[in-house]
Amino acid sequence: MKTVTILGATGSVGTSTLDLIEREPDRFRVVALTANCDVAKLAAAAIRTRAEFAVVADEGCLPELREALAGTGIRAGGGADAIAEAAASGADWTMGAIVGCAGLKPVMAAIEQGGTVVIANKEPLVSAGDVILAAAKRTGATLLPADSEHNAIFQCFDATRPERVRRIILTCSGGPFRDWTIEQMRGVTLEQAVKHPNWSMGAKISVDSATCMNKGLELIEAARLFPIPHDRIEIVIHPQSVVHSLVDYVDGSVLAQLGPPDMRTPIAHTLAWPDRMATPMAPLDLVGIGRLDFEAPDPVRFPAMRLAREALDAGGARPAILNAANEVAVEAFLKRRICFLEIAAIVEDTLMRYDPAAPDSVDAVLAIDAEARILAGKRVEDCVV
Ligand SMILES: NC(=O)c1ccc[n+]([C@@H]2O[C@H](COP(=O)([O-])OP(=O)(O)OC[C@H]3O[C@@H](n4cnc5c(N)ncnc54)[C@H](OP(=O)(O)O)[C@@H]3O)[C@@H](O)[C@H]2O)c1
């Protein structure tokens, strides 16, 4: 019996994780589930899975959660300390599926326990990669990637012979505006931006996919997770989202992982690892798919990938600033306060205005994150929709 905690249990990744866990009640036991403020979904999941502890980050939602769990024997918690307590609940396997840098402290709390910590929540790894990796090394925690691309690389990458890897190739669907001109993208609506052609995901990552910042964040994530020089991580557009990424070896062999565009496959890989477990997905129908296309990314129409590459190469605080500014800009777009093309412009502006020293602790990363948010927020105020 594997004990499991899900941070961000009410989101898209959290829901996919629960789906897998609930199919095998003899194999998994839920310790803690967390959400921000979706009490109804959190309480229902906690009751269904007989979780020990359910937590909302937003303390104002705690009375409602207590009421929803009254008489069930499930403990209710609220606020940042309770989230940290859930993360440090000592589960064998913890899913990090909070969205944004808000997941940094919870992921660090989980790593301090030294179990298996699964990274779906890529933003903390982008902002605080060195700090997170050092903590995992110190505590012996095993980090497993759930992001489909990084999970694919993890499955193909020979970690015992990294010097034999020539390239990592990250695939990118190109998002809903892959074929759009810049002129067309000026008029993008929120509804168009959150409608990903292949994947069903939360609002923030859907917008990141539309700007291709998601691939930029994933480029940095890959550089953190796999021992290979940055300039040997490439991005290729693959509109079908069937080949999730590839590893190119010095002998010319290229290993790829394929699968349906459904997060339950990479999540199941991390849940059962190093074993395998069945998922409800139908076998991949290659004949039905018919063709697999690949094309070069366009850095002019999608500058976010260039900004992320520059931040990765410069290192230090740059990735944290990139991420914080992007979170602010995407939130403003989701609130219909700025236009789609202004997202990358705000990120670029913030990077130009702020250049602090490299952070060496979680608190230093969070201080840089906070300052970058203020600067990006001011830039948002300057935009008129
Ligand atoms: N969706 C995907 O297919 C996918 C694939 C790869 C990687 N990822 C990554 O996984 C992470 C989650 O993505 P998602 O699509 O599942 O997001 P989502 O659907 O928006 O879910 C986010 C989860 O985080 C919780 N949350 C939000 N703000 C919080 C805060 N300040 N403190 C604590 N909890 C908070 C939400 O709770 P409430 O429901 O109460 O708001 C929800 O449980 C992101 O980093 C994303 O980049 C997602």
Side-chain angles (χ1 to χ4, degrees):
M1 190 67 119
K2 198 177 256 186
T3 54
V4 167
T5 283
I6 307 174
L7 309 171
T10 50
S12 169
V13 171
T15 302
S16 294
T17 309
L18 281 166
D19 178 80
L20 293 167
I21 285 168
E22 289 185 67
R23 285 169 196 273
E24 301 214 28
D26 297 336
R27 192 165 174 181
F28 303 108
R29 183 168 64 76
V30 174
V31 180
L33 300 177
T34 80
N36 187 28
C37 57
D38 190 341
V39 168
K41 202 166 176 185
L42 178 67
I47 291 166
R48 279 198 323 272
T49 59
R50 299 197 187 101
E52 292 168 22
F53 192 27
V55 181
V56 278
D58 183 340
E59 241 174 320
C61 301
L62 181 56
E64 196 187 334
L65 181 64
R66 282 209 178 103
E67 198 179 319
L69 295 178
T72 63
I74 301 167
R75 199 156 63 88
D81 288 348
I83 293 276
E85 187 189 337
S89 58
D92 301 319
W93 185 98
T94 301
M95 165 57 83
I98 291 173
V99 61
C101 212
L104 173 53
K105 280 194 166 175
V107 159
M108 287 296 286
I111 288 173
E112 287 300 328
Q113 299 300 296
T116 295
V117 181
V118 177
I119 308 285
N121 181 200
K122 64 196 83 181
E123 294 91 344
L125 207 52
V126 168
S127 295
D130 292 346
V131 178
I132 289 176
L133 295 178
K137 197 171 175 190
R138 176 171 48 77
T139 65
T142 302
L143 300 185
L144 295 179
D147 223 343
S148 59
E149 295 77 0
H150 305 77
N151 184 266
I153 298 163
F154 182 72
Q155 294 195 46
C156 300
F157 195 98
D158 184 350
T160 64
R161 292 179 190 81
E163 72 284 0
R164 301 291 181 240
V165 174
R166 185 159 55 186
R167 285 181 306 165
I168 282 176
I169 304 167
L170 284 174
T171 56
C172 169
S173 72
F177 312 127
R178 181 173 59 88
D179 295 328
W180 289 36
T181 63
I182 291 184
E183 222 27 71
Q184 286 173 306
M185 281 194 272
R186 281 190 213 291
V188 161
T189 65
L190 172 55
E191 290 70 20
Q192 290 168 325
V194 296
K195 198 172 180 322
H196 194 278
N198 305 333
W199 296 89
S200 165
M201 308 184 285
K204 195 261 177 182
I205 185 174
S206 297
V207 175
D208 283 346
S209 298
T211 60
C212 288
M213 180 59 88
N214 184 49
K215 210 49 56 181
L217 299 177
E218 289 182 4
L219 169 73
I220 299 173
E221 184 184 7
R224 308 287 199 220
L225 290 172
F226 302 103
I228 181 166
H230 306 163
D231 60 353
R232 290 205 255 137
I233 307 173
E234 296 178 8
I235 296 171
V236 68
I237 304 294
H238 167 49
Q240 290 91 355
S241 298
V242 170
V243 179
H244 294 304
S245 279
L246 312 91
V247 178
D248 177 11
Y249 286 89
V250 289
D251 63 2
S253 300
V254 180
L255 304 193
Q257 185 262 357
L258 282 69
D262 188 316
M263 279 300 289
R264 287 177 297 181
T265 293
I267 295 168
H269 177 261
T270 67
L271 258 176
W273 185 82
D275 196 357
R276 298 267 176 182
M277 65 184 276
T279 67
M281 266 77 72
L284 194 64
D285 176 10
L286 283 173
V287 174
I289 293 164
R291 53 186 275 183
L292 299 173
D293 296 311
F294 300 95
E295 53 194 66
D298 180 348
V300 176
R301 287 181 303 130
F302 297 100
M305 278 191 271
R306 169 182 58 80
L307 294 173
R309 169 83 65 186
E310 287 168 3
L312 172 63
D313 290 343
R318 310 305 284 163
I321 299 168
L322 173 101
N323 179 69
N326 183 59
E327 286 195 34
V328 169
V330 171
E331 196 181 329
F333 176 74
L334 289 172
K335 290 180 175 158
R336 301 182 198 273
R337 297 186 62 203
I338 61 169
C339 302
F340 181 73
L341 292 181
E342 282 167 335
I343 297 173
I346 288 170
V347 174
E348 184 152 29
D349 253 39
T350 310
L351 281 162
M352 281 193 302
R353 282 165 199 226
Y354 186 38
D355 193 16
D360 58 1
S361 66
V362 169
D363 287 344
V365 171
L366 290 175
I368 290 166
D369 177 274
E371 183 63 26
R373 280 170 197 269
I374 291 170
L375 291 171
K378 283 186 185 148
R379 180 65 173 72
V380 166
E381 297 305 322
D382 294 341
C383 296
V384 180
V385 179

